[in-house]
Amino acid sequence: MYRMEISTIHKAEVIICGAGIVGMSMALALFKKGMKPVLIAPRYVAQANLGEAYHPRIYAISLASQKLLEELGIWSWLPSQRLTAVDKMQIQGDRAGFIELSAKQGELSELAWIVESGEIEAALQKALAFYGVQWVDGKVVDSQRVADDIADVQQCSSNMTYKQQLVIDTGDIWHASLVIAADGASSVIRQKAGIWHQFKSYESEGLVAQFTVEKPHHNTAYQWFTEEGVLAFLPLNDTADGHQVSMVWSAPNAIAQELKQLSQAELADVLRKRVGELSQDVLGKLTLRSPMYGFTLTLEKSGMVAPNVALIGDAAHRVHPLAGQGLNLGLADVLSLSTILSNKESFRGIGDLRVLERYQRERSVAIAHMRWVTDGLHALFSSNLEPVRAVRNLGMDMVAKLPFIKEFLIKKASGV
């Protein structure tokens, strides 16, 4: 419960709610475009500089996202020893279907970068502190659109302007011309603004863990479509233990629950055998070197905007992680919205729905395309019908033999 005492009403032009990577990137992007954003979210210290350990959440950062992080000035702040370039991707069907994509085929230096969540978060926190971006330590518990006090006095009701009002768990109230919701899939801002939202469960969990592997990965990301879900290995830099990979396994709920009931010792033995079999032992013996974490997999979409409100990141959309593009979509939201806001006509307010709808239109095609690809692939490889299984693997073989399609896939994977 939050305190009911109400303090002074605070005002800002734009407020970002949520301090994950997408929310902090949004605040920094707007600051660099000459605005004075306020970030409202519980403060936390990023888990960075973990030495021989790795952060549990690992991201594949596309070249387009890398460019944005460079423009924000934080890419150079990431320790080079914590970055791993992806030079190749190998995708294996549940039979003989096989596709290999390489940076050389697309005339690129790399396809993507593997980065720990904590390292990006730490760099963003340092940048926000360096530039003096205001961060209010608190959680939004209520949000509503209200008439602007000044407009009430100076304008007739037919020409009234509005603000978005936020109530924080400290009891403080904030007013802003625009509230940008980066508060996750269960967004309070989205719910209170009445923005439509559709949800579909994949009845699966994303299981993540780190392994020491027997054979070098050669900066290759691997993915297998199997009868027990989609399994991926993301390459990490070596440690004193040996070669390292991060596992992302989109496992059906029954399998996920079975694994989560095991002790750490039991889990290490079961994963060594089970994941080794699913990965066809491509990297040899697997040794679990971290706890296993899980997160629910869903497909979600929304209306993205309302008067004085815009959604970004998971608050706006979620897709299946098989393409590893969730964070990249969120960072693309940041680039799109910050650019549109900075280029709006001077006579339009920053929370004007006509301005925000430009952002909605610009992002809707790319998001829908990624949703169609990931959801379609999930449906295709979830089917146990024999004709479907044959066709999907034949399709992979055909793609592998057509250079122009592979070049197209490389561009999509890298975001260039």
Side-chain angles (χ1 to χ4, degrees):
M1 295 292 291
Y2 61 91
R3 298 198 308 268
M4 296 304 294
E5 309 90 52
I6 301 299
S7 62
T8 304
I9 294 179
H10 307 277
K11 296 183 179 182
E13 181 184 26
V14 56
I15 291 175
I16 298 101
C17 298
I21 293 174
V22 173
M24 287 193 287
S25 296
M26 188 80 243
L28 190 56
L30 293 181
F31 177 86
K32 284 183 168 288
K33 291 184 179 296
M35 302 180 208
K36 292 184 178 180
V38 173
L39 185 68
I40 298 180
R43 280 191 176 275
Y44 67 99
V45 177
Q47 299 178 43
N49 303 313
L50 299 181
E52 291 283 285
Y54 279 100
H55 193 281
R57 178 148 294 213
I58 307 291
Y59 290 114
I61 298 294
S62 70
L63 300 187
S65 292
Q66 178 197 8
K67 181 180 178 182
L68 173 62
L69 296 178
E70 286 177 341
E71 291 172 353
L72 295 181
I74 71 149
W75 185 258
S76 61
W77 291 13
L78 299 175
S80 59
Q81 67 271 22
R82 309 299 296 195
L83 303 176
T84 308
V86 178
D87 297 331
K88 292 182 180 180
M89 295 176 62
Q90 291 187 1
I91 306 169
Q92 178 75 55
D94 52 350
R95 288 189 178 175
F98 178 81
I99 300 174
E100 181 175 272
L101 307 176
S102 73
K104 289 183 179 179
Q105 291 170 334
E107 299 181 344
L108 302 170
S109 55
E110 59 276 320
L111 292 175
W113 288 94
I114 304 302
V115 191
E116 297 160 85
S117 177
E119 297 296 339
I120 305 177
E121 291 165 2
L124 285 166
Q125 288 177 358
K126 290 177 185 176
L128 292 173
F130 178 81
Y131 290 114
V133 176
Q134 186 175 2
W135 184 331
V136 177
D137 185 8
K139 183 179 180 181
V140 174
V141 294
D142 194 23
S143 173
Q144 62 177 317
R145 192 169 182 243
V146 298
D148 191 314
D149 294 337
I150 297 176
D152 285 346
V153 176
Q154 297 181 348
Q155 302 181 26
C156 64
S157 60
S158 61
N159 199 31
M160 189 177 296
T161 60
Y162 291 85
K163 301 280 188 180
Q164 196 70 17
Q165 175 175 284
L166 302 177
V167 179
I168 316 302
D169 58 0
T170 60
D172 289 337
I173 288 180
W174 281 81
H175 283 182
S177 298
L178 174 63
V179 169
I180 300 175
D183 53 344
S186 300
S187 172
V188 171
I189 307 299
R190 184 188 66 221
Q191 295 169 22
K192 295 294 185 178
I195 298 174
W196 67 262
H197 171 247
Q198 294 180 356
F199 169 101
K200 181 180 83 171
S201 172
Y202 282 114
E203 303 297 331
S204 299
E205 283 195 46
L207 304 177
V208 295
Q210 272 83 59
F211 287 98
T212 298
V213 294
E214 183 180 9
K215 301 176 183 178
H217 50 61
H218 298 296
N219 291 79
T220 301
Y222 298 89
Q223 188 170 57
W224 296 268
F225 288 89
T226 79
E227 294 181 353
E228 296 187 347
V230 184
L231 174 69
F233 284 167
L234 302 179
L236 299 172
N237 290 336
D238 293 353
T239 69
D241 292 337
H243 311 301
Q244 304 296 317
V245 297
S246 173
M247 176 198 79
V248 184
W249 182 6
S250 303
N253 282 342
I255 293 176
Q257 291 305 311
E258 171 192 336
L259 294 174
K260 288 164 71 173
Q261 300 302 315
L262 302 176
S263 68
Q264 185 69 8
E266 292 171 329
L267 181 66
D269 186 56
V270 171
L271 287 182
R272 176 179 61 82
K273 298 173 182 176
R274 202 158 185 173
V275 175
E277 182 179 347
L278 293 176
S279 65
Q280 302 168 16
D281 291 317
V282 68
L283 294 179
K285 181 182 178 181
L286 308 175
T287 303
L288 183 66
R289 72 186 307 264
S290 77
M292 184 184 72
Y293 301 90
F295 55 94
T296 302
L297 301 184
T298 58
L299 176 70
E300 302 183 40
K301 54 184 178 179
S302 73
M304 296 190 71
V305 299
N308 305 104
V309 175
L311 311 181
I312 59 176
D314 282 359
H317 45 71
R318 292 187 77 188
V319 296
H320 196 284
L322 63 86
Q325 293 299 309
L327 177 59
N328 293 318
L329 284 177
L331 291 176
D333 293 343
V334 170
L335 177 61
S336 173
L337 182 55
S338 61
T339 302
I340 286 171
L341 293 178
S342 66
N343 292 336
K344 72 173 184 62
E345 304 91 340
S346 59
F347 62 85
R348 295 198 187 278
I350 197 170
D352 191 319
L353 183 59
R354 285 161 291 192
V355 174
L356 302 181
E357 284 175 338
R358 295 171 192 167
Y359 159 68
Q360 179 191 42
R361 288 192 296 269
E362 183 169 282
R363 294 297 297 135
S364 62
V365 174
I367 293 168
H369 181 261
M370 186 58 65
R371 184 169 57 240
W372 179 82
V373 169
T374 55
D375 193 47
L377 283 173
H378 175 266
L380 182 63
F381 280 90
S382 295
S383 175
N384 290 320
L385 296 175
E386 187 59 32
V388 176
R389 298 179 68 175
V391 168
R392 67 196 180 205
N393 285 278
L394 177 61
M396 293 182 70
D397 286 338
M398 291 178 63
V399 168
K401 296 175 183 177
L402 297 172
F404 68 93
I405 295 182
K406 291 177 72 174
E407 290 175 11
F408 173 79
L409 293 175
I410 290 168
K411 290 181 178 180
K412 285 297 181 183
S414 62
V416 297

